[in-house]
Amino acid sequence: MTFTYGGLRVTDDAGVIDQFGNTIPRLFACGEMVGGMFLGGYFGGSGLKSGAVFGILAGKSAVVSH
């Protein structure tokens, strides 16, 4: 598994935020794409947890926004 230490800014419901601070309609992120998760370092298994937690949030948000 690979990941970014930066990643995308997201809302509490996993919506992706653009460079102007606006949520991009119908675009969600989860897992290693979510920014801020690994800024203090990486611990084993955290990518899988991030994918599971933000994946659920993104999935629910996508259904609601559709």
Side-chain angles (χ1 to χ4, degrees), residues 23-46:
T23 303
I24 301 172
R26 297 180 305 280
L27 182 61
F28 302 92
C30 65
E32 283 80 12
M33 295 306 300
V34 174
M37 296 297 296
F38 306 110
L39 292 177
Y42 178 80
F43 57 94
S46 60

Side-chain angles (χ1 to χ4, degrees), residues 1-63:
M1 288 179 136
T2 59
F3 56 89
T4 62
Y5 276 95
L8 300 171
R9 279 182 58 198
V10 297
T11 62
D12 290 343
D13 62 351
V16 176
I17 300 172
D18 68 15
Q19 69 269 30
F20 304 109
N22 302 311
T23 303
I24 301 172
R26 297 180 305 280
L27 182 61
F28 302 92
C30 65
E32 283 80 12
M33 295 306 300
V34 174
M37 296 297 296
F38 306 110
L39 292 177
Y42 178 80
F43 57 94
S46 60
L48 297 174
K49 287 183 184 178
S50 175
V53 171
F54 282 98
I56 290 168
L57 290 172
K60 286 181 180 180
S61 298
V63 169

